[in-house]
Amino acid sequence: MATTPAPTAAKADAPPPRSVLLDPAFLRLWAGTTASGLATWALPFVLGLAVLHRDLGAAGLGLVLAARTAGFLAAVAVGGVLADRHSRRAVVLWSGLAAAVAAPLLAAGLGRSLVLMTAAAALAGAGQGACRPAFQALTAETVEPARRQQANAAMTMAVRSSTLAGPALTALLAAFLDVGTLLLGIGLLWLVAALVPGKGAGTSGSAAEPAPRAGFRAEFLEGIREARRHPWFLAGLGALVAVIALGYSATSVALPLISRDRYGTEWVLAAAMTAYTLGALGGALVIARRRPRSQGWAAFAGLAVYGFAPLSLMLPVHPVVVVAAYAVAGIGIELFNVPWFTATQREVAPDKLARVSSLDFLVSYGLAPVGLALIAPAIDAFGVTAVLAACAAACFLVPAAAALVPTARHFGRTATAAAD
């Protein structure tokens, strides 16, 4: 008489994984990430209000924003090393506090000292940059592997929601509060980002290994060596650079021009950027539940569809087509981002995760200003259509080439590992 094997019965009785949204530790981390995102996206808008109120000149605004970017790029590499060397929670705490301190300094310098505002903006950027790789590594410590893709989708939804809610909420509050008070509010958001997240369940390499550590440069180079161990990571980084430095930069410069000159309205600019963010939110919702069989190939396909954005600007199409292309691009970018972050957390050695994540942010964000600086002269020299065509081709072809790299199909060495 046949009987049901015990292993099968045990498997049938196994409860389904609990949603990551029911985990208090993750919700605290999510709240901190959301607060940092709101603060990050609100600051340029508040500084823009300062220009409108004549508390800051246009040249001063450019200098302050440049200082923030420089602080970010300088600190993101340092933050990666520190988050692998010390507690990731401590790095989030101190970087968030640094950004919080910068807010009242910005308010104090408003209309009085551009030097003080520039220094404060650099400090704010440093706090923002140092916390990014620490948040990424802390997610891996807080959430077990089976739920990390859902967790990363929730994180990216927080970031995308911030791009909508940050400026909108700031505009609403600006009707009742002055610029200095709004800057202090940004400081309070950074305090939430610093104080609310809890400790991860895991520990960084430094906590488990009390022996003397190598110097900063040696540890940063060790992170680069770890990144080089993963061909899919290097290929993905190259594809990201192409899309951000060429595709994103080209559309950032060309979209306002085409909205004005071809369509004669600012509506196309606003609608396209809103559609991009809403598309990204939709993409994060989809990828939170789906696990493509060939995850890497699906992610690179999502990244490649950003090429539809510059392609739509090349052609004399109805503005609805431009808006739809941006929505598709937004969906695609999160179909790449969420599996990319999840694979990095899975495949990279835990004691080097923050350094590899910092390399990701450093390269992708660091080259974006270069692309923005070169696109406008290129448009003047070759025309907007030729530049958009080249950038669209790069967005389609570079991710396709990256997908051919060994281990790129599954964002890992084996399909089994990618499915875990």
Side-chain angles (χ1 to χ4, degrees), residues 53 80 131 151 191 193 203 232 241 280 296 312 315 333 338 369 389:
H53 295 169
C131 77
L191 281 179
T203 57
W232 63 268
V241 168
S312 70
L315 307 173
I333 204 73
V338 174

Side-chain angles (χ1 to χ4, degrees), residues 43 68 73 82 85 88 104 107 129 132-133 148 163 211 226 230 238 271 301 304 328-329 334 350 355 390:
L43 181 58
R68 187 180 75 146
L73 295 175
L82 292 178
R85 179 181 287 186
R88 276 83 186 256
R132 289 299 295 271
R148 284 179 189 162
T163 66
E226 172 65 20
H230 306 280
V328 170
E334 294 308 335
R355 278 170 283 178

Side-chain angles (χ1 to χ4, degrees), residues 54-270:
R54 301 187 184 280
D55 294 321
L56 183 66
L61 174 63
L63 181 62
V64 170
L65 292 179
R68 187 180 75 146
T69 300
F72 176 91
L73 295 175
V76 72
V78 176
V81 173
L82 292 178
D84 281 339
R85 179 181 287 186
H86 304 291
S87 162
R88 276 83 186 256
R89 178 65 189 90
V91 174
V92 168
L93 172 64
W94 291 108
S95 59
L97 290 177
V101 168
L105 293 177
L106 282 166
L110 189 65
R112 301 180 184 90
S113 173
L114 182 58
V115 173
L116 178 59
M117 291 193 70
T118 302
L123 180 61
Q128 177 193 346
C131 77
R132 289 299 295 271
F135 268 128
Q136 183 77 354
L138 196 56
T139 301
E141 288 186 1
T142 303
V143 182
E144 65 265 25
R147 298 190 296 168
R148 284 179 189 162
Q149 183 151 321
Q150 187 184 47
N152 287 316
M155 288 292 196
T156 197
M157 287 179 66
V159 173
R160 297 300 180 183
S161 298
S162 298
T163 66
L164 289 176
L169 181 61
T170 303
L172 178 63
L173 293 175
F176 307 97
L177 304 172
D178 59 26
V179 173
T181 304
L182 292 174
L183 288 171
L184 294 178
I186 290 174
L188 291 177
L189 287 172
W190 276 114
L191 281 179
V192 172
L195 300 176
V196 168
K199 293 182 179 180
T203 57
S204 63
S206 60
E209 180 58 59
R213 305 295 300 253
F216 172 84
R217 180 176 179 274
E219 291 204 357
F220 183 72
L221 292 176
E222 188 179 18
I224 294 178
R225 286 193 293 271
E226 172 65 20
R228 292 175 61 186
R229 290 183 53 244
H230 306 280
W232 63 268
F233 181 84
L234 297 181
L237 205 55
L240 269 176
V241 168
V243 171
I244 292 176
L246 295 177
Y248 184 78
S249 296
T251 53
S252 296
V253 174
L255 179 59
L257 298 176
I258 290 174
S259 180
R260 181 195 66 192
D261 298 338
R262 180 185 299 168
Y263 300 109
T265 176
E266 297 176 354
W267 175 85
V268 177
L269 170 62

Side-chain angles (χ1 to χ4, degrees), residues 266-296:
E266 297 176 354
W267 175 85
V268 177
L269 170 62
M273 297 310 299
T274 303
Y276 177 81
T277 302
L278 293 176
L281 286 170
L285 283 173
V286 170
I287 203 61
R289 297 181 175 274
R290 295 186 60 84
R291 302 292 191 276
R293 185 183 298 269
S294 299
Q295 193 171 74

Side-chain angles (χ1 to χ4, degrees), residues 311-384:
L311 188 64
S312 70
L313 298 179
M314 287 174 52
L315 307 173
V317 295
H318 193 277
V320 172
V321 176
V322 176
V323 174
Y326 270 79
V328 170
I331 293 171
I333 204 73
E334 294 308 335
L335 295 183
F336 174 85
N337 278 341
V338 174
W340 169 259
F341 291 143
T342 305
T344 304
Q345 293 162 349
R346 181 188 68 238
E347 297 290 321
V348 172
D351 62 328
K352 301 178 182 67
L353 176 56
R355 278 170 283 178
V356 174
S357 296
S358 71
L359 183 65
D360 176 8
F361 295 129
L362 183 64
V363 172
S364 56
Y365 282 86
L367 290 179
V370 177
L372 286 170
L374 295 178
I375 289 297
I379 289 176
D380 290 338
F382 304 105
V384 65

